[in-house]
Amino acid sequence: MSDNTIRQFISFTIGDEEYGVDIMAIREIKGWSASTALPNAPRYMRGVINLRGAIVPILDLRSRFGRGSTEATARHVIMVVAVGNRVAGILVDAVADILAVPGDDIQPVPQLEHAAAGFLTGLVTVEGRMVALLDLDHVFAFDDMDLSGAEVAA
């Protein structure tokens, strides 16, 4: 069965790797601003920021993938995303591109016994570079984090 539906993604980098998030999940892209750390939060939780009155948790994606903590600078970016009916931010190195990808071009993730593979919904090659497409529901699915603070605005 062919899927010629064009899907759009915002791609971003973490180190030398490029990832993509469905454009419909993106609520805002903003420059790095310091977050307020929360006690007993997992290492990959940078803390929270106040985004126009909403308290938004910020997740360090590099740390979530088990690759150490991001040394955030003014060049880093927070991508504010909708996850279910919640809003959260992911700290990334830089936004790279807007991608328009036919559904048929999205390849399945190879079955690996590596936890990070579960964070992905597929892989796509764009202009010779591999972009890993994130499954935000899985990235934010953990028992030790409560996203109950920020509701998605309609």
Side-chain angles (χ1 to χ4, degrees), residues 20-41:
V21 172
D22 190 304
I23 200 166
M24 296 308 290
I26 305 292
R27 295 294 174 255
E28 183 173 334
I29 298 172
K30 66 184 284 339
W32 168 248
S33 57
S35 58
T36 302
L38 298 175
N40 299 318

Side-chain angles (χ1 to χ4, degrees), residues 114-139:
H114 188 274
F119 294 139
L120 307 178
T121 60
L123 301 166
V124 65
T125 302
V126 179
E127 298 173 2
R129 60 191 205 271
M130 182 72 63
V131 179
L133 304 177
L134 284 187
D135 177 348
L136 288 176
D137 289 329
H138 191 228
V139 169

Side-chain angles (χ1 to χ4, degrees), residues 28-132:
E28 183 173 334
I29 298 172
K30 66 184 284 339
W32 168 248
S33 57
S35 58
T36 302
L38 298 175
N40 299 318
R43 181 173 298 146
Y44 46 80
M45 279 300 304
R46 290 300 287 244
V48 294
I49 61 170
N50 184 331
L51 187 63
R52 291 180 299 285
I55 303 303
V56 177
I58 305 300
L59 181 138
D60 182 343
L61 208 51
R62 175 180 277 115
S63 181
R64 179 72 170 126
F65 291 164
R67 299 202 173 106
S69 293
T70 300
E71 296 297 324
T73 68
R75 293 187 351 250
H76 287 83
V77 176
I78 295 172
M79 295 178 66
V80 180
V81 297
V83 184
N85 65 344
R86 305 286 181 215
V87 173
I90 51 177
L91 173 61
V92 303
D93 291 354
V95 172
D97 209 350
I98 298 174
L99 308 174
V101 180
D104 285 342
D105 288 358
I106 300 172
Q107 300 298 312
V109 179
Q111 294 301 315
L112 303 172
E113 289 190 30
H114 188 274
F119 294 139
L120 307 178
T121 60
L123 301 166
V124 65
T125 302
V126 179
E127 298 173 2
R129 60 191 205 271
M130 182 72 63
V131 179

Side-chain angles (χ1 to χ4, degrees), residues 2-8 101-104 106:
S2 178
D3 180 7
N4 289 326
T5 305
I6 300 296
R7 296 188 50 199
Q8 290 187 306
V101 180
D104 285 342
I106 300 172

